[in-house]
Amino acid sequence: MTVRLTTAAAAFALLLGGNWALAADKPTDPQIAHIAYTAGVIDVEAAKLAIATSKNKTVVEFAESMVRDHESVNKQALDLVKKLNVTPEDNDTSKALSQAAESKRSELAKLTGADFDKAYVENEAAYHKQVNGALETLLIPSAQNAELKSLLETGLKLFQGHQQHAEHVATELR
Amino acid sequence: MNAAANPLRPAFLALLLGTATIVVPAQAETIEVTIDRLVYAPAEIEAKVGDEIEWINKDALVHTATMKGGTEVLVPAKKSGRLLMREPGSFDYICRYHPNMEGHITVRP
């Protein structure tokens, strides 16, 4: 129970910008695969909400690039776990991420127009920053399989790009 | 451009002219930049006016080569994109979708 609480707390700490490396237990490769995949799905869902809601061309284009990139990386992740014969394993961190994302999504769903655009893009910058922190301090160092580690490293470079892109769009909206 | 788009045409012309030699403009070169795992390689290149840059994208992601000032080449996933360098200068470029990808082109007259 302590372990489960620690993981859930770490996931929330991640979402709140805390340091994930403080987590006592290191995730296994099947758990890492699940966490990374979940993080991608969350961003695709947020982007689909933005595409349906926003009237701002720059915001919609940004959201479309999030759908495109995260779906592409998640496809690569699925291909890899299949090749490695690994079954992604649901875990408390993935669950906590999904829960936090759901509450963020319902918060965003109440907004419209410029308020929505600003909140979505700022959340995108913050979300990618937090996922990048988790990749750097916990997921990449914990990964055992070299191919999984390499995919996570490419993912980190990609998500750092997304963070910069989101920050750039946020500046334009100001 | 037409000749390049239709590979049969130069061969057809060669037949008409009774020669197998196809004359290609002499100096202009194509300089290749590979995009792999969100990195332009080489990141710094030199070209002459009239040369073309070809970005070859090995990623399953859409990238661009976007110059400061607006010129942009779209480089679709697993495909390539080209740009003819028409004027001399020093150009920084980035990927619009992943601005942490950076490259530089120096174009000599």
Side-chain angles (χ1 to χ4, degrees):
Chain A
M1 194 58 194
T2 312
V3 171
R4 289 183 55 189
L5 278 177
T6 308
T7 315
F12 281 115
L14 157 76
L15 290 162
L16 297 169
N19 188 349
W20 230 23
L22 295 174
D25 50 337
K26 282 191 167 192
T28 63
D29 281 5
Q31 289 173 336
I32 291 169
H34 197 282
I35 294 165
Y37 189 85
T38 303
V41 169
I42 286 169
D43 205 53
V44 169
E45 285 173 359
K48 285 182 175 168
L49 175 66
I51 292 166
T53 308
S54 181
K55 303 268 188 287
N56 183 303
K57 196 177 155 233
T58 310
V59 172
V60 171
E61 203 200 8
F62 170 81
E64 284 169 347
S65 71
M66 291 303 112
V67 172
R68 199 170 60 217
D69 282 4
H70 285 285
E71 283 185 345
S72 170
V73 170
N74 270 3
K75 186 184 173 299
Q76 286 179 57
L78 283 186
D79 290 347
L80 178 62
V81 294
K82 201 172 163 190
K83 181 184 154 196
L84 299 175
N85 211 9
V86 166
T87 307
E89 186 188 307
D90 199 3
N91 57 84
D92 289 337
T93 304
S94 290
K95 288 192 181 95
L97 277 171
S98 297
Q99 272 171 21
E102 204 173 303
S103 77
K104 188 72 201 178
R105 211 161 47 241
S106 57
E107 196 183 307
L108 287 172
K110 291 183 191 122
L111 302 173
T112 53
D115 290 341
F116 173 88
D117 292 341
K118 193 167 177 291
Y120 165 67
V121 172
E122 282 178 3
N123 185 57
E124 281 299 290
Y127 178 73
H128 281 93
K129 187 177 179 185
Q130 288 152 6
V131 172
N132 289 336
L135 279 165
E136 276 177 306
T137 59
L138 185 67
L139 301 179
I140 291 170
S142 301
Q144 296 299 308
N145 179 276
E147 284 182 84
L148 177 63
K149 201 186 266 281
S150 163
L151 184 60
L152 293 169
E153 279 163 353
T154 305
L156 175 60
K157 172 103 197 207
L158 175 67
F159 302 166
Q160 284 170 338
H162 288 173
Q163 184 189 330
Q164 279 190 26
H165 190 188
E167 284 165 356
H168 182 77
V169 176
T171 310
E172 269 186 45
L173 292 178
R174 257 172 226 144
Chain B
M1 190 63 197
N2 279 340
N6 182 357
L8 288 176
R9 198 170 157 195
F12 183 59
L13 281 176
L15 273 177
L16 274 183
L17 298 171
T19 168
T21 311
I22 298 162
V23 180
V24 176
Q27 298 99 335
E29 282 181 55
T30 298
I31 298 155
E32 293 183 356
V33 177
T34 302
I35 304 174
D36 190 13
R37 296 178 191 193
L38 297 105
V39 175
Y40 300 112
E44 301 235 350
I45 52 170
E46 282 198 17
K48 301 183 299 296
V49 169
D51 286 349
E52 272 195 299
I53 316 295
E54 181 177 26
W55 285 270
I56 300 163
N57 185 2
K58 300 200 166 180
D59 288 342
L61 302 162
V62 181
H63 294 302
T64 71
T66 305
M67 317 286 150
K68 277 182 186 161
T71 303
E72 178 168 290
V73 178
L74 189 71
V75 194
K78 303 278 182 190
K79 292 201 163 70
S80 63
R82 297 172 76 96
L83 179 67
L84 175 65
M85 304 313 290
R86 293 173 194 276
E87 51 187 274
S90 177
F91 307 98
D92 284 322
Y93 70 92
I94 57 165
C95 170
R96 188 154 55 89
Y97 301 121
H98 316 104
N100 55 338
M101 293 171 61
E102 295 175 343
H104 186 265
I105 307 170
T106 307
V107 185
R108 286 176 280 114

